[in-house]
Amino acid sequence: TLGRCINGMAEHLGRLVQLKSAEVSRSHLLREISLKIAGAVDRKSISTLAVDEIRKALAADRVLICSLNVDRTATIAAESLTGPWPQNLGTLLSGFHAIYSSQCKRGQVQIIHNLSTAVLPQDALQQWETLSVKAALIAPIIVNNKLFGALMVHQCSGPRTWKQSEIDFLAQLITQVELAIDLAYLLEQQQKSREQLQKRAMELLMEVDPISKGDLTIRAKVTEDEIGTIADSYNSTVESLQRLVIQ
């Protein structure tokens, strides 16, 4: 009896050690992938890197990111695939918003162990059958408090019982993806703003060029941006100069 008790304790301790080791390994892997995602420079490279790293980490057949379009459809913007399954990069998914938006809440992962027993709208079932999906994880991507799209992990070879550790791992990575896309979007907006200001500055210089030749009737176009403030000040200066010349 004592021997069986000792053996049981040893087995239990061994399982605890294995679980702890797996937890530490996932923690290191999460950190490595997060650093890679954070180092990407734009939304396309972020998405491409994310689907590839997540597919390898979860040993899935396919991982893809769908980006929501203005018309409430979605486009498969990034895909990582292994095995003889159909490629779908660039594919348009109709009815995406109606099918998934009600279930898309930040940090929530939808779990499908077996597609044949899942309760889904008919449109969703048809789409997933086209993609040869047998099991899946779906995580919404929320950027700037709006639904940007979703990341989907597909198992095509057969049904799969997803572990809670895998679900938690995906939820943590999605947070990193959201932060990276949000930052990339902000940088893109800043770049567009700089380009627009440079364009307006060149337009202003062309508008006021006749003044350098003595034409004091020229007035620059005043807009609501920073260049508009400069144009307004420039106009005031020219008007003052014009009055001085007339006097």
Side-chain angles (χ1 to χ4, degrees):
T1 302
L2 181 59
R4 287 197 300 270
C5 182
I6 293 174
N7 289 336
M9 291 177 63
E11 291 176 0
H12 180 66
L13 182 60
R15 286 194 295 270
L16 289 177
V17 170
Q18 289 178 350
L19 289 173
K20 187 63 178 178
S21 177
E23 182 181 342
V24 171
S25 178
R26 282 194 301 272
S27 178
H28 285 312
L29 184 59
L30 176 64
R31 182 175 180 275
E32 290 177 5
I33 297 177
S34 297
L35 288 174
K36 289 180 180 180
I37 292 174
V41 295
D42 54 51
R43 284 182 284 176
K44 182 177 180 180
S45 57
I46 291 168
S47 298
T48 301
L49 179 62
V51 295
D52 196 42
E53 292 294 333
I54 292 173
R55 183 189 61 76
K56 293 175 183 176
L58 296 179
D61 293 325
R62 179 196 294 117
V63 174
L64 53 83
I65 286 180
C66 302
S67 58
L68 188 64
N69 301 320
V70 177
D71 61 358
R72 302 300 180 91
T73 61
T75 302
I76 298 178
E79 180 182 37
S80 180
L81 179 70
T82 183
W85 317 111
Q87 294 184 353
N88 303 278
L89 187 63
T91 299
L92 188 69
L93 302 179
S94 60
F96 173 87
H97 191 274
I99 294 171
Y100 300 110
S101 62
S102 62
Q103 303 168 1
C104 284
K105 297 179 181 179
R106 185 185 293 274
Q108 180 175 318
V109 179
Q110 185 180 358
I111 307 161
I112 299 176
H113 300 295
N114 189 339
L115 187 65
S116 63
T117 60
V119 180
L120 290 172
Q122 189 61 33
D123 290 346
L125 287 173
Q126 290 177 353
Q127 287 179 359
W128 286 45
E129 288 173 357
T130 301
L131 298 174
S132 301
V133 179
K134 299 296 188 297
L137 296 175
I138 308 170
I141 300 175
I142 310 295
V143 176
N144 197 22
N145 294 321
K146 294 181 181 179
L147 179 62
F148 173 84
L151 187 144
M152 302 182 183
V153 181
H154 292 166
Q155 196 67 30
C156 302
S157 56
R160 174 171 173 173
T161 301
W162 302 100
K163 299 177 183 177
Q164 187 60 46
S165 59
E166 295 171 331
I167 298 167
D168 294 341
F169 182 78
L170 179 61
Q172 290 174 307
L173 278 175
I174 285 296
T175 300
Q176 302 302 317
V177 172
E178 290 173 339
L179 290 173
I181 291 178
D182 197 12
L183 178 59
Y185 181 76
L186 178 61
L187 293 176
E188 288 172 10
Q189 292 300 107
Q190 290 176 344
Q191 178 63 27
K192 288 180 181 179
S193 296
R194 285 195 296 268
E195 292 174 355
Q196 184 65 25
L197 285 176
Q198 289 174 353
K199 180 181 178 182
R200 278 289 298 125
M202 290 301 299
E203 290 174 351
L204 176 61
L205 290 175
M206 293 178 65
E207 288 174 7
V208 301
D209 182 64
I211 297 175
S212 65
K213 299 178 177 64
D215 187 352
L216 300 181
T217 64
I218 297 298
R219 297 295 181 269
K221 181 180 178 181
V222 178
T223 56
E224 295 183 357
D225 55 17
E226 292 88 339
I227 301 300
T229 302
I230 298 173
D232 188 46
S233 177
Y234 205 96
N235 289 342
S236 297
T237 301
V238 174
E239 287 173 1
S240 298
L241 181 59
Q242 186 181 36
R243 285 195 300 268
L244 179 62
V245 170
I246 291 175
Q247 291 173 4

